[in-house]
Amino acid sequence: MRKEPGCSARERKKADRPLAWGAHIAHALCGEGSVFPLPAGVDLLEAALSKLGAIAYRGVRAAGTRPHEEVAVVGLGPIGQLAARLHGLTGARVVAVDVVPERVVLAKAAGIEAVRGETRDRRGIGIPATPGADVVL
């Protein structure tokens, strides 16, 4: 097992239910500053999804989305679902597209304007979404 650079034995923190920020990997040794104990009552699945939420939120912050803008979300996997909702909270019009029908249904159930894209070939999908989006994810 490899250690994270700068992570010594005395820096390791024991936690019954730890959450660590870092790469998408199954196991890691992390420095003390990267590990946080989960409060009682926080579901492990919800805690794991918080990382994905942070990724989606970073996109909202980087884009600086405003209420009058239009946002196109291409792909409604977990991060796309969260990004569509967070951009929607800014007041912007969000149009999302995915080739997987279940993902489109899930987004629509959350109030997102979502459509199923047509598969053209392996290089991408046809987007029957809004032309001239201000932000494209």
Side-chain angles (χ1 to χ4, degrees), residues 12-97:
R12 292 188 201 131
K13 184 191 306 186
K14 183 179 185 314
D16 292 333
R17 296 167 23 103
L19 175 67
W21 293 103
H24 294 278
I25 55 177
H27 297 84
L29 291 177
C30 300
E32 183 176 6
S34 297
V35 179
F36 306 90
L38 290 177
V42 174
D43 181 77
L44 292 175
L45 180 58
E46 290 173 352
L49 289 174
S50 69
K51 285 182 78 170
L52 301 179
I55 293 167
Y57 181 66
R58 169 77 172 98
V60 173
R61 297 278 314 256
T65 306
R66 295 177 221 189
H68 64 277
E69 294 181 316
E70 293 190 3
V71 177
V73 178
V74 181
L76 288 167
I79 295 173
Q81 293 279 347
L82 292 167
R85 289 162 175 76
L86 291 173
H87 279 275
L89 291 173
T90 68
R93 175 180 178 224
V94 177
V95 177
V97 62

